[in-house]
């Protein structure tokens, strides 16, 4: 791994970004009457994980997951068997707490599930919640925002909220990029494009069908491509990436090509991908040869990659970088060290193992900083979110097929597209109008 | 009516109903003057029905003038406005000066407490036919130059748009016998909630005819592009109401529809909808005579293009008052829109607010969740526009809730209480309808039978009997083949009384159709309204304010659009969620400071309660 670049992508899968665009139909608005859920305890392996819901359907969700039991006493811990409402399969024996609003964190009806912290259990409960009608995964900072809107937080408590949300949106942006890079992303984007086009055709048929000479076949064109959507998201992982457990944090480790200039086309592609990963990583482990720091490529690397990440102010980016100098065994023990002008760095010898503990400790600290915030979405929520939106999309397409009323059909299509664009971004009205005016000669 | 002799259409019909719900005039005057009523999109669901009618130009003018001239306390004075009279601003409002009247072209002055500018295509209007251009607001009328200069000097950001109108053809020169004849609906669906029928009976109404362009039309357009400066100009024209030239250029080798529409009962003119053009006059007639049925057509007035100034609508508030000049309101094409209905929608809002402003009452704003008018004005004031803006149903998030049938329930009650613009009679009718609907829906919900019984009662309905759960009458009404009449026949008590008023019966059917979806839409609407209930201070100086952490880019965007609520701010492209949170915090701090000033004893709990109260009201 000569001058290789490792990027550690903490698998803190906070759902995809929520762009601040015009709200497309079907995308639930934050602060709306919907009931939200999220894992609200910290990341990593822990004894107990806390999953929280907020909103009018909280009590309903609790009853469904603990059927056939009634709601527990308000604000009392009760032991309940949680099962998946669809399969009836038991998920975990958990402590549940019922906080009817307004005496709760957000001021709305809230439920807390204290479950055993294993990923399978957490994931199971999150997916079970996602399948309850009226529930959806929370947006970045949404619990806090609801609490704020209901007058449950005072102003000093909310000081840091915007920064937090900024950091979250930034992290989500990278997260979304990372997810969308793989086959899953291609698939979703393809579907979203198909749906957008289908919707544009249906909308064109509604807004211009009778006034203009739109062919009768337009609607059929709109209906056909939709049917190719399947519920299976497919789970693809870049071959260069391995999920590892690092100091208790679930981490996605991406090993990329070294950043070299002027190499053959194949390696250039590798370098291009490396740069892409670099852009998306939460934590960059930049590795250089300690005995070769004066070489032009090392200097270049320091000047571009290391300096550029270091130069970003913490509020601009939550991306972090650790500079590691390997082969410390080749430096003369009494020598002056690798160089006086270097930014903060760690020395390591993979040969002797010297410095490894220090590196792990530094990694742990960085990961804690990246993942430790309890309000960020948990890794497993990504899957719950994908499932939630894909299922929502599928359900809406079912309604679309059944609808005889074209306005209702179009509404179902809007909802379906809304769900997909929540995973892929985009989704504004202008996009639809652009397709309409590009595809049809409309107007009197 | 200076262009097409028609009102309404898809999306536009919704605006007509909303204007009427606020007691705006045009819908009622149309019903006195319509010569061909047709509901578009009949097969596509009542949420997207497009009420439309051909209107007699002469009758409309007469009826409108009669109505206006007979309005009590209204003085009408005709004259071209050349300049504005400006005075010191009111200190409690933003804006660098205040308008206090206008100067007419003859130098005389008219003083006013507030002024609404509806300049149409007159601001530096320029007419184009072929290679010739001459200054005019519309054929035969002088443009408005001085006023355009005044507005520019005041600091308004000005843009340029273009539109066009087709030639008018002599009726007796058209061979209608070989063309496709379209007859009006019978019965006619009136535009106005207050009318049960329209003035001219369906059997007395006029037909429209349909013909098509052909490759010879394309050929004439393409051969003569060098004689057609309007088409080549860079000024933005509408993509959805294009001239025949741009249709030929963008979609070659196609046949395009041409509707031959009557201009009125005793008019000799036919308006060829779809043939807006700017070719030199002699070529226009040459092209027209290539078209089937128009072989011997005589062009009475050539088509022409118009280019005109508009002012970036992000410079006005949702009440349509300008940010720069207090008590100055803009409505219509000056804000970048096209179409009579879009203009009327703004006109009624500007009129209401100009009056409320004078009587120092809070502005009347329609939200995106309440009406197409709200969508139109919110789009304009938060996003601006770079092409003539036209209403489409696809622009509306809550399309299933904002329907032509229920515009009165959405707006009439508010118009009566908050704006005082609605007559007592209309208000009472809307109240009666609203409560009858609510009562009818709850009765329909309360009647439950097993599906097998429903099947026996209404055999023509395709009710599935596979489930043995009770089914509500409301759910049965959702079936396409069931209406209130068949339902009332099956269950006369207590349903019969809901079939006595035809409108009520039809509206109950529509409510049933959308019932399940509306429940979800209501949740979303609530979310949007929560954000809209959070007002941003009007005098906030985004460029210098220190208490809010905002990026420079966001500051500039907020400074230009001056959103009035958190909801509007969140729709401005480029305003990030973090910025919204910061603004939210600012709003709360401001509210708190105000309430602390008002009543120092009430603290958190009060705010908290107020929030919850707000929520309940929504």
């Amino acid at each position: 791994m000569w001058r290789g670049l490792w990027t550690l992508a903490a698998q803190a899968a906070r759902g995809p970004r929520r762009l601040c665009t015009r709200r497309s139909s079907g995308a639930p608005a934050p602060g709306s009457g919907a009931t939200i859920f999220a894992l609200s305890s910290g990341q990593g392996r822990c004894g107990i994980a806390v999953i929280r819901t907020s909103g009018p359907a909280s009590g309903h969700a609790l009853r469904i997951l603990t059927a056939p039991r009634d709601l527990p006493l308000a604000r009392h811990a009760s032991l309940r068997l949680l099962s998946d409402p669809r399969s009836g399969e038991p998920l975990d024996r958990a402590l549940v707490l019922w906080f009817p609003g307004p005496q709760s964190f957000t001021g709305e009806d809230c439920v807390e599930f204290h479950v055993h912290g294993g990923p399978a259990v957490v994931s199971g409960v999150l997916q079970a919640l996602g399948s309850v009608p009226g529930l959806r995964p929370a947006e970045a900072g949404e619990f806090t925002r609801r609490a704020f809107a209901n007058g449950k937080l005072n102003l000093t408590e909310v000081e840091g909220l915007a920064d937090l949300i900024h950091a979250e949106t930034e992290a989500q942006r990278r997260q979304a990029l990372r997810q969308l890079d793989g086959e899953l992303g291609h698939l979703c984007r393809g579907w979203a494009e198909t749906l957008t086009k289908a919707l544009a055709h249906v909308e064109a048929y509604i807004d211009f069908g009778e006034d203009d000479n739109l062919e009768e076949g337009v609607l059929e064109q709109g209906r056909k491509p939709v049917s190719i959507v399947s519920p299976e998201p497919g789970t693809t992982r870049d071959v260069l990436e391995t999920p590892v457990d690092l100091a208790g944090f679930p981490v996605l480790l991406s090993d990329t090509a070294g950043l070299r200039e002027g190499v053959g086309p194949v390696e250039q592609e590798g370098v291009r991908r490396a740069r892409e990963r670099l852009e998306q990583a939460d934590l960059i482990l930049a590795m250089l040869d300690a005995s070769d720091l004066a070489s032009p490529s090392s200097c270049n690397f320091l000047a571009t990659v290391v300096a550029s990440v270091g130069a970003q102010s913490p509020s601009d980016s939550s991306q972090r970088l650790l500079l590691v100098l390997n082969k410390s065994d080749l430096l003369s023990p009494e020598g002056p060290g690798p160089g006086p002008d270097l930014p903060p760095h760690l020395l390591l010898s993979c040969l002797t193992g010297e410095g490894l503990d220090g590196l792990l400790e530094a990694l742990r600290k960085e990961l804690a900083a990246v993942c430790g915030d309890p309000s960020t979405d948990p890794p497993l929520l990504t899957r719950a979110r994908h499932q939630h939106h894909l299922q929502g999309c599928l359900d809406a397409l079912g309604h679309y097929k059944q609808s005889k009323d074209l306005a209702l059909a179009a509404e179902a299509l809007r909802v379906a597209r809304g769900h997909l664009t929540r995973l892929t971004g985009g989704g504004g009205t202008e996009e639809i109008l652009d397709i309409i005016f590009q595809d049809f000669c409309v107007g009197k | 009516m200076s262009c097409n002799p028609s009102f309404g259409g898809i999306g536009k019909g919704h605006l007509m109903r909303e204007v009427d719900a606020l007691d705006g005039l045009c819908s009622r005057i149309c019903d006195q003057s319509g010569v061909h009523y047709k509901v578009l999109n009949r097969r596509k669901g009542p949420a997207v029905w497009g009420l439309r009618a051909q209107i007699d130009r002469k009758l409309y003018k007469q009826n409108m003038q009669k109505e206006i001239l007979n309005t009590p306390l209204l003085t009408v004075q005709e004259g071209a406005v050349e300049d504005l009279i400006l005075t010191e601003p009111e200190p409690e409002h933003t804006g660098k000066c205040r308008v206090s009247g206008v100067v007419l072209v003859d130098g005389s002055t008219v003083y006013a407490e507030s002024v609404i500018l509806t300049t149409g295509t007159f601001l530096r209007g320029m007419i184009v036919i072929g290679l010739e251009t001459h200054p005019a607001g519309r054929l035969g009328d002088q443009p408005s130059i001085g006023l355009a200069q005044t507005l520019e000097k005041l600091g308004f950001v000005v843009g340029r748009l273009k539109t066009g109108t087709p030639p008018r053809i002599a009726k007796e020169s058209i061979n209608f016998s070989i063309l496709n004849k379209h007859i009006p609906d019978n019965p006619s669906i009136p535009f106005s909630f207050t009318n049960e029928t329209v003035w001219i009976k369906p059997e007395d109404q006029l037909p429209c005819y349909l013909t098509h362009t052909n490759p010879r039309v394309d050929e004439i357009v393409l051969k003569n592009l060098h004689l057609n400066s309007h088409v080549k100009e860079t000024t933005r024209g509408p993509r959805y109401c294009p001239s025949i030239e741009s249709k030929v250029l963008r979609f070659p080798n196609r046949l395009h529809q041409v509707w031959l529409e009557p201009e009125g009962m005793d008019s000799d003119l036919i308006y060829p909808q779809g043939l807006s053009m700017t070719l030199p006059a002699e070529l226009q007639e040459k092209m027209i005579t290539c078209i089937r049925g128009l072989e011997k057509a005589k062009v009475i007035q050539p088509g022409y293009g118009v280019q005109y100034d508009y002012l970036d609508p992000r410079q006005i508030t949702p009440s349509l008052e300008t940010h720069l000049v207090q008590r100055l309101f803009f409505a219509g094409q000056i804000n970048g829109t096209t179409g009579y209905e879009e203009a009327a929608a703004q006109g009624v809002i500007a009129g209401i607010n100009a009056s409320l402003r004078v009587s120092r009452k809070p502005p009347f704003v329609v939200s995106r969740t309440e009406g197409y008018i709200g969508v139109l004005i919110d789009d304009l004031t938060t996003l601006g526009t770079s092409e003539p803006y036209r209403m489409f149903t696809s622009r509306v998030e809550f399309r299933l809730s904002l329907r032509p049938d229920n515009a009165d329930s959405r707006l009439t009650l508010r118009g009566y209480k908050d704006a005082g613009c609605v007559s007592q009679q209309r208000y009472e009718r809307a109240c009666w309808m609203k409560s009858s609907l609510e009562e009818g829906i709850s009765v329909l919900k309360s009647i439950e039978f097993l599906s097998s019984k429903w099947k026996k009662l209404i055999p023509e309905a395709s009710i599935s009997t596979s489930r043995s759960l009770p089914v509500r009458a409301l759910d049965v009404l959702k079936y396409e083949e069931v209406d209130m009449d068949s339902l009332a026949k099956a269950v006369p008590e207590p349903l019969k009384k809901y079939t006595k008023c035809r409108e009520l019966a039809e509206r109950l059917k529509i409510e049933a159709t959308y019932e399940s979806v509306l429940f979800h839409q209501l949740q979303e609407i609530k979310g949007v309204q929560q954000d809209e209930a959070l007002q941003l201070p009007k005098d906030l100086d985004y460029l210098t304010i220190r208490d809010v952490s905002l990026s420079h880019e966001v500051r500039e965007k907020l400074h230009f659009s001056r959103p009035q609520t958190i909801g509007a701010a969140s729709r401005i492209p480029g305003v990030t969620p973090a910025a919204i949170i910061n603004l939210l915090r600012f709003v709360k701090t401001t509210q708190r400071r105000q309430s602390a000033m008002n009543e120092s004893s009430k603290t958190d709990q009060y705010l908290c309660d107020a929030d919850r109260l707000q929520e309940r009201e929504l």
Side-chain angles (χ1 to χ4, degrees), chain B residues 314 316-318 323 378 381-383 534-540 542 554-572 575 580 583 587:
Chain B
R314 286 173 291 182
I316 54 176
T317 69
H323 293 313
D378 184 64
T381 55
T382 59
L383 306 173
L534 294 162
Q535 298 273 331
L536 289 164
K538 283 196 190 106
D539 54 350
L540 204 54
Y542 290 103
V554 169
R555 279 171 191 270
E556 299 238 297
K557 288 190 163 143
L558 292 169
H559 175 71
F560 191 68
S561 299
R562 309 205 64 81
Q564 299 213 323
T565 65
I566 288 283
S570 71
R571 286 188 290 270
I572 298 173
V575 176
I580 294 299
L583 284 174
V587 173

Side-chain angles (χ1 to χ4, degrees), chain A residues 173-192:
Chain A
R173 188 185 64 81
R174 284 207 310 279
Q175 167 77 17
L177 277 175
R178 207 154 50 212
Q179 283 171 348
L180 287 178
D181 210 31
E183 250 177 72
L184 172 62
H186 282 300
L187 202 60
C188 276
R189 262 200 304 269
W191 289 341

Side-chain angles (χ1 to χ4, degrees), chain A residues 412-433:
Chain A
L413 211 49
R414 284 175 171 204
V415 172
R417 173 173 174 261
H419 278 294
L420 276 191
T421 52
R422 306 272 289 174
L423 297 181
T424 60
T429 310
E430 279 306 314
E431 212 179 312
I432 301 271
L433 290 176

